[in-house]
Amino acid sequence: NALYMARLLATPGSVPPLAQQFHGWHAAESTVASAFRAALRGAAEEAPVARSVSDLGATIRMERFVPYFLDKYKGKPTYPGKNNMYILFPDHGAYDRYATSVRERLKLDWDHILYIKKTRVGESIGQEQKLFYEEDRTENEKSDHFNGSKDHILIIDDFTNSGGTLFGAVKLVKMYAGGSDSINVSIFVSHLVATYDPKTVDSLKEKLHELGKQCRFFTTNSIPTTTDMLKGDDQATVIDISDFIADMCSLASALTAQVRFTRWLKTVWKWG
């Protein structure tokens, strides 16, 4: 389905069939809009999207928002420095996608880049109540506690629906801080999906407030339907993604100009 939808998005032509014409698919999953939003989730779809249009003569540029966010986050006056900064991923998949970016942008030691393991019992998925990190390709369990008054933990994921996994990670962080409610915890997700439902957003906000004012939530406005409902919330920050897109376009223009200049120099050198 991901390959097919990506191909639809990249192929010029008439409008694809409506949702009800995709027999056997749930309508919400079969619209091109949903496929586009799903593709925004990041690394999981990058490879199939690239493959799906490889024979169409299309040029694709893929960028992740997380490295951009980390640069901005590090520039804040409240950034605690590498010794008291921790990044936590709610599962190993997110760790695989973003750990290298964290290492490059924040220069953190490997034992400051943590993840949680998922547990599965039948169809039920939970979180193991331990924190892990990898160093020299070896998995290690975090044995020491957080400093509730100095450490800051940033939880990162590409998207969320209910926020349950992310808020579960916050509770685990507090456990590692000796039950302290004063430890600073931030959550960042690139895309607030929230099942595209206002009630789900309201529930997410309620859970956020229950965790206390030391817990903050960051996301982009890639899905305005949900993020518009966060406006005015003291614990939530919605980042305008247009700045990111503008920066990427500026970079692309600069690279294009550089390529053209290089070609011109080669021509001058060849005939000069």
Side-chain angles (χ1 to χ4, degrees), residues 39-89:
L40 281 174
R41 292 190 311 203
E45 286 78 17
E46 287 174 358
V49 167
R51 288 200 308 271
S52 67
V53 297
S54 60
D55 62 333
L56 299 177
T59 300
I60 296 179
R61 178 186 174 89
M62 300 184 201
E63 295 287 346
R64 295 179 181 178
F65 192 85
V66 168
Y68 181 85
F69 173 77
L70 291 174
D71 287 339
K72 300 295 183 184
Y73 191 84
K74 186 179 181 180
K76 289 179 175 290
T78 54
Y79 185 73
K82 64 174 293 185
N83 291 334
N84 296 108
M85 187 70 219
Y86 289 84
I87 300 297
L88 174 59
F89 297 103

Side-chain angles (χ1 to χ4, degrees), residues 162-229:
S162 67
T165 301
L166 298 168
F167 296 136
V170 175
K171 292 177 181 178
L172 183 54
V173 164
K174 290 186 175 185
M175 186 183 81
Y176 267 80
S180 172
D181 287 329
S182 63
I183 188 166
N184 288 293
V185 185
S186 297
I187 299 170
F188 171 75
V189 292
S190 299
H191 314 288
L192 179 61
V193 181
T195 67
Y196 312 108
D197 185 353
K199 292 182 180 179
T200 303
V201 179
D202 286 338
S203 175
L204 188 147
K205 289 166 63 177
E206 184 179 339
K207 294 174 184 176
L208 177 64
H209 297 154
E210 288 174 354
L211 291 170
K213 292 188 176 296
Q214 297 300 104
C215 182
R216 295 191 54 80
F217 185 84
F218 296 86
T219 188
T220 73
N221 61 347
S222 62
I223 308 177
T225 305
T226 58
T227 55
D228 282 352
M229 296 182 64

Side-chain angles (χ1 to χ4, degrees), residues 107-123:
K107 310 301 181 185
L108 300 184
D109 295 332
W110 285 114
D111 61 350
H112 282 232
I113 307 174
L114 309 168
Y115 61 90
I116 303 172
K117 288 183 179 181
K118 286 183 176 179
T119 60
R120 287 179 172 82
V121 179
E123 296 183 0

Side-chain angles (χ1 to χ4, degrees), residues 144-157:
D144 56 336
H145 283 71
F146 293 121
N147 185 324
S149 61
K150 293 183 179 181
D151 291 339
H152 194 125
I153 290 78
L154 172 61
I155 301 168
I156 296 177
D157 208 354

